[in-house]
Short mmCIF file of all heavy atoms in Angstrom, two decimals:
data_model
loop_
_atom_site.label_atom_id
_atom_site.label_comp_id
_atom_site.label_asym_id
_atom_site.label_seq_id
_atom_site.Cartn_x
_atom_site.Cartn_y
_atom_site.Cartn_z
N GLU Z 1 0.00 5.37 -18.23
CA GLU Z 1 0.81 5.22 -19.44
C GLU Z 1 0.00 5.47 -20.70
O GLU Z 1 0.51 5.96 -21.70
CB GLU Z 1 1.40 3.83 -19.44
CG GLU Z 1 2.41 3.59 -20.61
CD GLU Z 1 2.97 2.17 -20.60
OE1 GLU Z 1 2.25 1.23 -20.04
OE2 GLU Z 1 4.08 1.96 -21.08
N ALA Z 2 -1.28 5.10 -20.65
CA ALA Z 2 -2.16 5.26 -21.85
C ALA Z 2 -2.85 6.61 -21.89
O ALA Z 2 -3.65 6.88 -22.70
CB ALA Z 2 -3.22 4.22 -21.89
N ASN Z 3 -2.34 7.55 -20.94
CA ASN Z 3 -2.86 8.91 -20.94
C ASN Z 3 -4.43 8.96 -20.76
O ASN Z 3 -5.08 9.79 -21.34
CB ASN Z 3 -2.50 9.69 -22.21
CG ASN Z 3 -1.02 9.86 -22.34
OD1 ASN Z 3 -0.32 10.15 -21.33
ND2 ASN Z 3 -0.49 9.72 -23.54
N MET Z 4 -4.84 8.06 -19.82
CA MET Z 4 -6.32 8.06 -19.55
C MET Z 4 -6.66 9.13 -18.55
O MET Z 4 -7.91 9.33 -18.33
CB MET Z 4 -6.77 6.66 -19.06
CG MET Z 4 -6.54 5.53 -20.23
SD MET Z 4 -7.03 3.95 -19.61
CE MET Z 4 -8.75 4.11 -19.33
N ASP Z 5 -5.74 9.73 -17.90
CA ASP Z 5 -6.01 10.78 -16.93
C ASP Z 5 -6.18 12.02 -17.69
O ASP Z 5 -5.44 12.97 -17.47
CB ASP Z 5 -4.88 10.79 -15.89
CG ASP Z 5 -3.50 11.04 -16.52
OD1 ASP Z 5 -3.33 10.50 -17.64
OD2 ASP Z 5 -2.69 11.67 -15.88
N SER Z 6 -7.22 12.14 -18.43
CA SER Z 6 -7.44 13.30 -19.35
C SER Z 6 -7.90 14.53 -18.63
O SER Z 6 -7.71 15.67 -19.02
CB SER Z 6 -8.50 12.92 -20.38
OG SER Z 6 -9.73 12.53 -19.70
N THR Z 7 -8.42 14.40 -17.43
CA THR Z 7 -8.85 15.56 -16.64
C THR Z 7 -8.11 15.56 -15.27
O THR Z 7 -7.71 14.48 -14.73
CB THR Z 7 -10.35 15.56 -16.41
OG1 THR Z 7 -10.70 14.41 -15.60
CG2 THR Z 7 -11.06 15.49 -17.76
N PRO Z 8 -8.05 16.68 -14.59
CA PRO Z 8 -7.49 16.75 -13.25
C PRO Z 8 -8.19 15.93 -12.30
O PRO Z 8 -7.63 15.32 -11.38
CB PRO Z 8 -7.50 18.26 -12.90
CG PRO Z 8 -7.60 18.91 -14.19
CD PRO Z 8 -8.36 18.06 -15.13
N GLU Z 9 -9.52 15.81 -12.42
CA GLU Z 9 -10.30 14.95 -11.50
C GLU Z 9 -9.90 13.52 -11.66
O GLU Z 9 -9.77 12.81 -10.60
CB GLU Z 9 -11.84 15.16 -11.76
CG GLU Z 9 -12.36 16.53 -11.43
CD GLU Z 9 -12.04 17.54 -12.51
OE1 GLU Z 9 -11.50 17.13 -13.57
OE2 GLU Z 9 -12.27 18.74 -12.23
N LYS Z 10 -9.81 13.05 -12.93
CA LYS Z 10 -9.42 11.62 -13.11
C LYS Z 10 -8.00 11.39 -12.52
O LYS Z 10 -7.69 10.33 -11.94
CB LYS Z 10 -9.47 11.28 -14.56
CG LYS Z 10 -10.88 11.06 -15.13
CD LYS Z 10 -10.81 10.55 -16.58
CE LYS Z 10 -12.19 10.29 -17.06
NZ LYS Z 10 -12.16 9.73 -18.44
N ARG Z 11 -7.09 12.30 -12.83
CA ARG Z 11 -5.76 12.13 -12.34
C ARG Z 11 -5.68 12.05 -10.80
O ARG Z 11 -4.98 11.21 -10.23
CB ARG Z 11 -4.86 13.32 -12.78
CG ARG Z 11 -3.44 13.21 -12.28
CD ARG Z 11 -2.55 14.26 -12.85
NE ARG Z 11 -2.43 14.08 -14.29
CZ ARG Z 11 -1.71 14.97 -15.05
NH1 ARG Z 11 -1.08 16.06 -14.50
NH2 ARG Z 11 -1.66 14.70 -16.33
N GLN Z 12 -6.46 12.90 -10.17
CA GLN Z 12 -6.49 12.85 -8.73
C GLN Z 12 -7.08 11.61 -8.19
O GLN Z 12 -6.70 10.98 -7.19
CB GLN Z 12 -7.28 14.06 -8.16
CG GLN Z 12 -7.32 14.21 -6.64
CD GLN Z 12 -5.96 14.35 -6.06
OE1 GLN Z 12 -5.16 15.14 -6.56
NE2 GLN Z 12 -5.69 13.59 -4.97
N LYS Z 13 -8.15 11.11 -8.89
CA LYS Z 13 -8.78 9.82 -8.53
C LYS Z 13 -7.77 8.66 -8.67
O LYS Z 13 -7.65 7.84 -7.79
CB LYS Z 13 -9.98 9.60 -9.43
CG LYS Z 13 -10.69 8.23 -9.14
CD LYS Z 13 -11.83 8.00 -10.09
CE LYS Z 13 -12.45 6.66 -9.81
NZ LYS Z 13 -13.57 6.33 -10.76
N TYR Z 14 -7.05 8.64 -9.78
CA TYR Z 14 -6.07 7.64 -9.96
C TYR Z 14 -4.97 7.65 -8.90
O TYR Z 14 -4.54 6.59 -8.40
CB TYR Z 14 -5.44 7.77 -11.35
CG TYR Z 14 -6.39 7.43 -12.53
CD1 TYR Z 14 -5.97 7.68 -13.85
CD2 TYR Z 14 -7.66 6.95 -12.32
CE1 TYR Z 14 -6.81 7.36 -14.92
CE2 TYR Z 14 -8.47 6.66 -13.38
CZ TYR Z 14 -8.08 6.88 -14.62
OH TYR Z 14 -8.90 6.62 -15.70
N LEU Z 15 -4.52 8.84 -8.56
CA LEU Z 15 -3.49 9.00 -7.58
C LEU Z 15 -4.01 8.57 -6.19
O LEU Z 15 -3.22 7.88 -5.45
CB LEU Z 15 -2.99 10.45 -7.51
CG LEU Z 15 -2.14 10.94 -8.72
CD1 LEU Z 15 -1.92 12.44 -8.56
CD2 LEU Z 15 -0.84 10.16 -8.77
N THR Z 16 -5.24 8.88 -5.87
CA THR Z 16 -5.82 8.50 -4.61
C THR Z 16 -5.90 6.99 -4.51
O THR Z 16 -5.52 6.37 -3.45
CB THR Z 16 -7.24 9.15 -4.40
OG1 THR Z 16 -7.07 10.56 -4.50
CG2 THR Z 16 -7.77 8.69 -3.11
N VAL Z 17 -6.32 6.37 -5.59
CA VAL Z 17 -6.43 4.89 -5.62
C VAL Z 17 -5.09 4.29 -5.46
O VAL Z 17 -4.88 3.28 -4.64
CB VAL Z 17 -7.13 4.40 -6.81
CG1 VAL Z 17 -7.14 2.87 -6.88
CG2 VAL Z 17 -8.62 4.83 -6.82
N LEU Z 18 -4.11 4.80 -6.16
CA LEU Z 18 -2.73 4.23 -6.07
C LEU Z 18 -2.22 4.34 -4.63
O LEU Z 18 -1.54 3.40 -4.14
CB LEU Z 18 -1.79 5.00 -7.06
CG LEU Z 18 -1.98 4.67 -8.56
CD1 LEU Z 18 -1.12 5.62 -9.40
CD2 LEU Z 18 -1.52 3.18 -8.75
N MET Z 19 -2.37 5.49 -3.97
CA MET Z 19 -1.89 5.62 -2.59
C MET Z 19 -2.61 4.70 -1.67
O MET Z 19 -1.99 4.07 -0.77
CB MET Z 19 -2.07 7.06 -2.17
CG MET Z 19 -1.04 8.05 -2.83
SD MET Z 19 -1.14 9.69 -2.15
CE MET Z 19 -2.73 10.23 -2.75
N GLU Z 20 -3.93 4.52 -1.87
CA GLU Z 20 -4.64 3.54 -0.99
C GLU Z 20 -4.13 2.15 -1.18
O GLU Z 20 -3.99 1.41 -0.21
CB GLU Z 20 -6.13 3.62 -1.34
CG GLU Z 20 -6.78 4.91 -0.89
CD GLU Z 20 -8.29 4.92 -1.30
OE1 GLU Z 20 -8.68 4.08 -2.05
OE2 GLU Z 20 -8.99 5.93 -0.84
N LYS Z 21 -3.93 1.77 -2.45
CA LYS Z 21 -3.43 0.40 -2.71
C LYS Z 21 -2.06 0.19 -2.18
O LYS Z 21 -1.65 -0.87 -1.63
CB LYS Z 21 -3.46 0.06 -4.18
CG LYS Z 21 -4.90 0.07 -4.81
CD LYS Z 21 -5.78 -0.84 -4.13
CE LYS Z 21 -7.19 -0.84 -4.57
NZ LYS Z 21 -8.13 -1.71 -3.83
N CYS Z 22 -1.16 1.25 -2.26
CA CYS Z 22 0.16 1.20 -1.66
C CYS Z 22 0.08 1.00 -0.15
O CYS Z 22 0.87 0.26 0.43
CB CYS Z 22 0.90 2.41 -1.96
SG CYS Z 22 1.45 2.48 -3.75
N ASP Z 23 -0.88 1.69 0.51
CA ASP Z 23 -1.05 1.53 1.89
C ASP Z 23 -1.53 0.12 2.24
O ASP Z 23 -1.08 -0.47 3.25
CB ASP Z 23 -2.14 2.52 2.40
CG ASP Z 23 -1.63 3.96 2.39
OD1 ASP Z 23 -0.42 4.13 2.37
OD2 ASP Z 23 -2.45 4.90 2.39
N GLU Z 24 -2.39 -0.51 1.46
CA GLU Z 24 -2.81 -1.88 1.68
C GLU Z 24 -1.63 -2.81 1.53
O GLU Z 24 -1.43 -3.72 2.39
CB GLU Z 24 -3.85 -2.28 0.59
CG GLU Z 24 -5.19 -1.65 0.82
CD GLU Z 24 -6.29 -2.20 -0.12
OE1 GLU Z 24 -6.07 -3.29 -0.63
OE2 GLU Z 24 -7.21 -1.46 -0.47
N VAL Z 25 -0.73 -2.57 0.58
CA VAL Z 25 0.43 -3.48 0.36
C VAL Z 25 1.33 -3.29 1.61
O VAL Z 25 1.86 -4.34 2.13
CB VAL Z 25 1.21 -3.15 -0.91
CG1 VAL Z 25 2.52 -3.89 -0.95
CG2 VAL Z 25 0.38 -3.48 -2.09
N THR Z 26 1.53 -2.05 2.03
CA THR Z 26 2.34 -1.79 3.23
C THR Z 26 1.85 -2.48 4.53
O THR Z 26 2.58 -3.13 5.24
CB THR Z 26 2.41 -0.29 3.54
OG1 THR Z 26 2.98 0.40 2.39
CG2 THR Z 26 3.26 -0.01 4.75
N LYS Z 27 0.46 -2.45 4.63
CA LYS Z 27 -0.07 -3.08 5.83
C LYS Z 27 0.16 -4.63 5.74
O LYS Z 27 0.41 -5.27 6.75
CB LYS Z 27 -1.59 -2.82 5.94
CG LYS Z 27 -2.25 -3.40 7.13
CD LYS Z 27 -3.74 -3.25 7.13
CE LYS Z 27 -4.33 -3.91 8.36
NZ LYS Z 27 -4.03 -5.34 8.43
N LEU Z 28 -0.09 -5.21 4.60
CA LEU Z 28 0.07 -6.62 4.43
C LEU Z 28 1.48 -7.08 4.62
O LEU Z 28 1.76 -8.18 5.25
CB LEU Z 28 -0.48 -7.08 3.02
CG LEU Z 28 -2.00 -6.98 2.84
CD1 LEU Z 28 -2.33 -7.19 1.42
CD2 LEU Z 28 -2.76 -8.01 3.69
N THR Z 29 2.42 -6.32 4.09
CA THR Z 29 3.81 -6.68 4.28
C THR Z 29 4.23 -6.51 5.77
O THR Z 29 5.06 -7.24 6.25
CB THR Z 29 4.74 -5.80 3.45
OG1 THR Z 29 4.41 -4.43 3.60
CG2 THR Z 29 4.53 -6.21 1.93
N ASN Z 30 3.60 -5.51 6.37
CA ASN Z 30 3.86 -5.31 7.89
C ASN Z 30 3.33 -6.60 8.64
O ASN Z 30 4.02 -7.02 9.55
CB ASN Z 30 3.19 -4.09 8.35
CG ASN Z 30 3.94 -2.85 7.97
OD1 ASN Z 30 5.14 -2.89 7.63
ND2 ASN Z 30 3.28 -1.68 8.01
N ASP Z 31 2.18 -7.05 8.22
CA ASP Z 31 1.63 -8.24 8.88
C ASP Z 31 2.56 -9.45 8.66
O ASP Z 31 2.83 -10.25 9.60
CB ASP Z 31 0.19 -8.57 8.36
CG ASP Z 31 -0.85 -7.63 8.87
OD1 ASP Z 31 -0.57 -6.92 9.83
OD2 ASP Z 31 -1.95 -7.61 8.34
N LEU Z 32 3.10 -9.55 7.48
CA LEU Z 32 3.96 -10.67 7.26
C LEU Z 32 5.24 -10.53 8.04
O LEU Z 32 5.78 -11.48 8.53
CB LEU Z 32 4.34 -10.67 5.65
CG LEU Z 32 5.15 -11.92 5.13
CD1 LEU Z 32 4.36 -13.17 5.45
CD2 LEU Z 32 5.33 -11.73 3.65
N PHE Z 33 5.72 -9.33 8.09
CA PHE Z 33 7.02 -9.12 8.83
C PHE Z 33 6.72 -9.41 10.35
O PHE Z 33 7.54 -10.06 11.00
CB PHE Z 33 7.40 -7.63 8.73
CG PHE Z 33 8.56 -7.29 9.61
CD1 PHE Z 33 9.81 -7.78 9.34
CD2 PHE Z 33 8.33 -6.37 10.64
CE1 PHE Z 33 10.88 -7.42 10.24
CE2 PHE Z 33 9.45 -6.09 11.49
CZ PHE Z 33 10.67 -6.55 11.29
N LEU Z 34 5.58 -8.91 10.88
CA LEU Z 34 5.30 -9.14 12.27
C LEU Z 34 5.09 -10.59 12.60
O LEU Z 34 5.40 -11.14 13.64
CB LEU Z 34 4.01 -8.33 12.74
CG LEU Z 34 4.17 -6.86 12.85
CD1 LEU Z 34 2.88 -6.21 12.99
CD2 LEU Z 34 5.13 -6.53 14.02
N HIS Z 35 4.46 -11.30 11.60
CA HIS Z 35 4.29 -12.74 11.79
C HIS Z 35 5.67 -13.43 11.84
O HIS Z 35 5.91 -14.31 12.68
CB HIS Z 35 3.51 -13.28 10.58
CG HIS Z 35 3.54 -14.83 10.42
ND1 HIS Z 35 3.08 -15.62 11.44
CD2 HIS Z 35 4.16 -15.59 9.46
CE1 HIS Z 35 3.30 -16.91 11.04
NE2 HIS Z 35 3.91 -16.86 9.89
N SER Z 36 6.57 -13.07 10.99
CA SER Z 36 7.90 -13.75 10.99
C SER Z 36 8.66 -13.46 12.25
O SER Z 36 9.30 -14.36 12.88
CB SER Z 36 8.74 -13.29 9.69
OG SER Z 36 8.97 -11.85 9.82
N ILE Z 37 8.66 -12.18 12.73
CA ILE Z 37 9.46 -11.91 13.97
C ILE Z 37 8.76 -12.45 15.22
O ILE Z 37 9.45 -12.84 16.18
CB ILE Z 37 9.65 -10.37 14.11
CG1 ILE Z 37 8.35 -9.59 14.29
CG2 ILE Z 37 10.44 -9.81 12.95
CD1 ILE Z 37 8.55 -8.12 14.65
N SER Z 38 7.41 -12.57 15.23
CA SER Z 38 6.70 -13.16 16.30
C SER Z 38 7.10 -14.68 16.40
O SER Z 38 7.17 -15.26 17.47
CB SER Z 38 5.20 -13.00 16.22
OG SER Z 38 4.67 -13.73 15.13
N GLU Z 39 7.31 -15.30 15.23
CA GLU Z 39 7.72 -16.74 15.21
C GLU Z 39 9.09 -16.86 15.89
O GLU Z 39 9.37 -17.89 16.55
CB GLU Z 39 7.77 -17.23 13.80
CG GLU Z 39 6.46 -17.60 13.25
CD GLU Z 39 5.80 -18.77 14.00
OE1 GLU Z 39 6.44 -19.75 14.20
OE2 GLU Z 39 4.64 -18.58 14.40
N MET Z 40 9.93 -15.85 15.73
CA MET Z 40 11.23 -15.89 16.29
C MET Z 40 11.33 -15.27 17.68
O MET Z 40 12.43 -15.09 18.20
CB MET Z 40 12.27 -15.25 15.39
CG MET Z 40 12.41 -15.87 13.99
SD MET Z 40 13.61 -15.15 12.92
CE MET Z 40 12.88 -13.57 12.60
N ASN Z 41 10.17 -14.95 18.23
CA ASN Z 41 10.11 -14.29 19.58
C ASN Z 41 10.95 -13.02 19.61
O ASN Z 41 11.68 -12.74 20.55
CB ASN Z 41 10.55 -15.22 20.66
CG ASN Z 41 9.57 -16.39 20.82
OD1 ASN Z 41 8.35 -16.19 20.74
ND2 ASN Z 41 10.09 -17.58 20.99
N LYS Z 42 10.88 -12.23 18.53
CA LYS Z 42 11.67 -10.91 18.48
C LYS Z 42 10.78 -9.71 18.42
O LYS Z 42 11.17 -8.72 17.88
CB LYS Z 42 12.63 -11.05 17.22
CG LYS Z 42 13.70 -12.04 17.35
CD LYS Z 42 14.62 -11.99 16.18
CE LYS Z 42 15.81 -12.90 16.35
NZ LYS Z 42 16.76 -12.93 15.19
N LEU Z 43 9.68 -9.81 19.05
CA LEU Z 43 8.76 -8.61 19.16
C LEU Z 43 9.35 -7.81 20.39
O LEU Z 43 8.80 -7.79 21.46
CB LEU Z 43 7.37 -9.08 19.42
CG LEU Z 43 6.56 -9.50 18.18
CD1 LEU Z 43 5.20 -10.03 18.64
CD2 LEU Z 43 6.33 -8.37 17.23
N ASP Z 44 10.50 -7.17 20.12
CA ASP Z 44 11.13 -6.40 21.20
C ASP Z 44 10.38 -5.10 21.49
O ASP Z 44 9.74 -4.55 20.62
CB ASP Z 44 12.56 -6.16 20.78
CG ASP Z 44 13.39 -7.34 20.56
OD1 ASP Z 44 13.12 -8.35 21.29
OD2 ASP Z 44 14.26 -7.37 19.69
N VAL Z 45 10.48 -4.75 22.76
CA VAL Z 45 9.98 -3.46 23.20
C VAL Z 45 11.08 -2.64 23.86
O VAL Z 45 11.94 -3.18 24.48
CB VAL Z 45 8.79 -3.61 24.10
CG1 VAL Z 45 7.61 -4.38 23.45
CG2 VAL Z 45 9.19 -4.37 25.40
#
């Protein structure tokens, strides 16, 4: 928002970090989801 991605390298770096952090959030929410369904014995196969 502050236009700190002044060069293509910085922009790519910011995008890479954002995607990595999104992946971390996805993994953590998956853990939370698996925890909840395992409590209800709904780990279906």
Side-chain angles (χ1 to χ4, degrees):
E1 186 180 26
N3 296 319
M4 296 177 64
D5 54 327
S6 55
T7 64
E9 291 78 10
K10 285 187 177 181
R11 177 176 296 181
Q12 184 59 44
K13 178 182 177 183
Y14 291 172
L15 289 173
T16 302
V17 172
L18 283 173
M19 287 187 290
E20 288 177 353
K21 297 304 177 183
C22 288
D23 290 340
E24 287 184 27
V25 172
T26 300
K27 182 186 179 303
L28 290 169
T29 53
N30 285 341
D31 284 347
L32 187 58
F33 173 71
L34 288 170
H35 165 63
S36 63
I37 64 174
S38 66
E39 281 296 310
M40 297 183 290
N41 294 321
K42 290 185 178 179
L43 281 171
D44 297 327
V45 297

